[in-house]
Amino acid sequence: MGRRENRMQSRNGRQKLTCVTCPNCHKTPFNALTQELLEVNSWEKSADIICRRLKIDLSDRTAFKELHKNFSYTLFQLSKCWNENKGNVLVIGGILVIFGRIAPDVLLRDKMLNSGPTFVSKIVMSLSHPTTRGLALETLHTASHHGGPHIPDLLAVETLPAIVRVLESSLDPPADWVDDGVEQCLPIICHMFTSLFRTASWCPTSPSRLEQLRVHKILPLALDRIRAKGLNITWNELIHGVTMITELPSVARDLFHQHPNAIRLMAACLRSPSIAFRGQGVLGVYRLEDIDRHKKTARHSEITFAVMERAITQTPPQKIQEALSSYGAEDCHIEVKLKAYEDMLCATEQCTTDGDLLVYGRSLAEIIPRAGSLHFCGVLDSTDASQPKLVPFSDWRESLHHAALALRAENELDAADIVELHYLRAHGPSKLDALGDLARAAISRNPTIPFFYYVLNRTHGTQSIDAVRKGLECENNQGIIYYELLFSRGSFALARAITELENAVMDPARLEQGVAYLRCAHEDMKVYIEGAPPDATDMLSALDQFIILSIVLNGPKFSPDLPEITVKSFLYLCKDILEKYKLAEEIHAFFFENSAPITLMNCVRTTIMRELPKAAKEWDIFIERTSDISPWLANLQQKALTETLAIDSEELQSMAKKDVPREHSEASTVRGTNNREIKLYKCSWCHSSTAVMRKCSRCGKARYCDANCQKYHWSVHKAECTSPEIEL
């Protein structure tokens, strides 16, 4: 992203030429090439001269295509020229610029790396010399930035130790230190870590691997670099430094507990006026806590028999009684489930007495949607063994299947599907596929019944968010099913927002979509906590997400110690949000007889609220620097925050389907001979840039690196891939 500084010391300013490969040698080969290079005043012109002498054409895309045909010979020429001019920084600097011109073409870059250690070793040697350090860092930046999502392991393993030494020297510089190109170090590391670690996202990386990549040194060095540069850090370095730091928790969580100032930096991002930085901050905390997600529950507890029994036999504390009574005890979820369970017992007892499966099925079809789910298990009691058995089942769960059959026999298909769906749910994961198939078939026949969408949402299939949207649109949707669908939509929107904001700092489309998702999630959670009963099972999780979303959306509008969430007027809510949170915890502790489960969002909220006051003081200069953003990004963020409304459920579904690479990427522009702009093709799938791409033979628009990229992209591309019309 950074521009190469096309600068070169003048002849009068250079007293001696220092050998790159041997710092103690001051002998420079003086030949015709050197003489010509001394006549120019920029590295770019030096590169042009070397290209002309070696007959390397980098003038346009056609020239790059020709370069692909015999690239091994070009590498041989460059290597020979390097070796014949060891110690000549004029030649070495020019060759580094040529490497930088070639590197944006990912196929040529990989050929350079695969040709052996020559290319990498030349870069590493150049990093140790003050005259060529900046050029070497610029070449590495180009190779890592334009290389698409896959950076060869060799490039990172061999160059990161040298980059670490550069960073260390810049923080404790010797007397003759030249700080040229150091601002490229964090962007280079960011590109490499993003490529290497996202393939293993959310999985801890082995200590030996982290040691190999110098992660234990890079994190504290990055923190020190950001702090030391303060307001003078470049925008490019700041963006990449923060992105790199927020990338690491998913692979090196323990390292953050060794460096708590890194956690506070992520929290400090939430104080930034920039919504893009706030998105990075919450993403980093999310990754930090998500690494132990196997120890955390996704949601809170279900209302079981034990919970309902406690509601019957125990008297709640006065505070809980008042809260439930104020809402309407008969509408509270535990009471609704209890009443449905009692009605189910009566219906079952009646069926075992008269054997009327049809009436039993009709009763169940009315009861089940009220409760959302009921636990059917156990063996039916038989009070009199001498009486004939009137029903073909002895297990409560199996009674559902027989009731559904009776309903189907009378062509009461909606009621039959409701009962059959609950029967399949009672079997757990073993019937998941059948459950999804039946729910979709039921919706196809009658799309007005919320319970069908509720069940489909519970399957977590690819149509889940669509099921949530359509279920919420049903006119007769209310109670437990309505609030569970609402919570699911809000949670989905928050997850999507985190995904979009991951790359939103420099991507306008992702920033706008990310803010839209944040607003949608915020609105849904607000409606949930205002409207759902106090004993709703997802109340605590909804409160966690609502607080997180409020902090992200409001940023510096909130004070560091967050007094805004302890006042009754908090974002138009009628109650103190933390008071409501405490009440929800007490309700859970009483009815479930244990503390609330530890969820991911609970951990994220706790970490943010704990670290934010300290972060605001420790990283105050960093926060100030993030406010001085470029005008185009400032305008974009202002538009996103003031004009982007919370998307409705239909838009949410539509945007969810766009979680794929762009259909036809814009060309990547690089610099060639004589500073000419050259546009390379970009892969429609992985976005790697190169001069040689295979076209889609059908439409001729999409381009791919190879057959694999074309194969992966086909599921997306086939909707728009059509043969061009031929006019006769």
Side-chain angles (χ1 to χ4, degrees), residues 290 292-301 541 588 595-603:
D290 193 54
D292 282 341
R293 70 188 186 281
H294 62 282
K295 299 179 181 178
K296 303 163 186 169
T297 58
R299 303 173 75 161
H300 289 91
S301 304
S541 186
H588 190 283
S595 57
I598 299 175
T599 65
L600 171 60
M601 288 303 167
N602 173 262
C603 293

Side-chain angles (χ1 to χ4, degrees), residues 357-369 399-425 434-435 438-439 441-443 445-446 449 451-452 455:
L357 288 170
L358 182 60
V359 172
Y360 178 54
R362 289 169 179 167
S363 298
L364 291 178
E366 185 276 328
I367 294 168
I368 291 171
S399 71
L400 294 168
H401 178 60
H402 291 282
L405 291 176
L407 290 167
R408 292 195 191 282
E410 295 298 320
N411 205 34
E412 297 183 22
L413 300 182
D414 289 340
D417 285 341
I418 290 173
V419 177
E420 187 73 14
L421 284 169
H422 204 68
Y423 167 72
L424 294 173
R425 286 190 63 195
L435 182 67
L438 180 58
I443 291 170
R445 191 192 66 258
N446 186 353
I449 298 180
F451 183 75
F452 297 155
V455 171

Side-chain angles (χ1 to χ4, degrees), residues 99-169:
F99 285 153
R101 291 176 179 176
I102 295 172
D105 190 309
V106 65
L107 299 182
L108 295 181
R109 181 207 65 180
D110 290 347
K111 287 180 179 179
M112 284 195 292
L113 292 171
N114 295 330
S115 64
T118 306
F119 169 73
V120 176
S121 63
K122 286 178 171 55
I123 296 294
V124 172
M125 285 189 294
S126 302
L127 287 171
S128 65
H129 196 285
T131 306
T132 55
R133 181 189 303 119
L135 291 170
L137 288 170
E138 182 62 35
T139 299
L140 273 178
H141 180 271
T142 303
S144 60
H145 172 58
H146 288 280
H150 306 297
I151 293 177
D153 192 75
L154 172 66
L155 187 63
V157 172
E158 296 296 328
T159 60
L160 281 175
I163 295 173
V164 166
R165 289 192 293 271
V166 172
L167 280 173
E168 289 173 336
S169 298

Side-chain angles (χ1 to χ4, degrees), residues 202 253 282-300 487 491 494-495 498 540-541 544-545 548 581 596-608:
W202 318 114
R253 183 176 189 247
V282 75
L283 176 62
V285 178
Y286 183 92
R287 285 171 170 157
L288 182 72
E289 299 300 339
D290 193 54
I291 198 68
D292 282 341
R293 70 188 186 281
H294 62 282
K295 299 179 181 178
K296 303 163 186 169
T297 58
R299 303 173 75 161
H300 289 91
F487 177 82
S491 298
L494 177 55
I498 289 174
L540 282 170
S541 186
D544 284 325
Q545 294 185 52
I548 293 169
Y581 197 98
I598 299 175
T599 65
L600 171 60
M601 288 303 167
N602 173 262
C603 293
V604 172
R605 178 193 63 81
T606 301
T607 298
I608 290 174

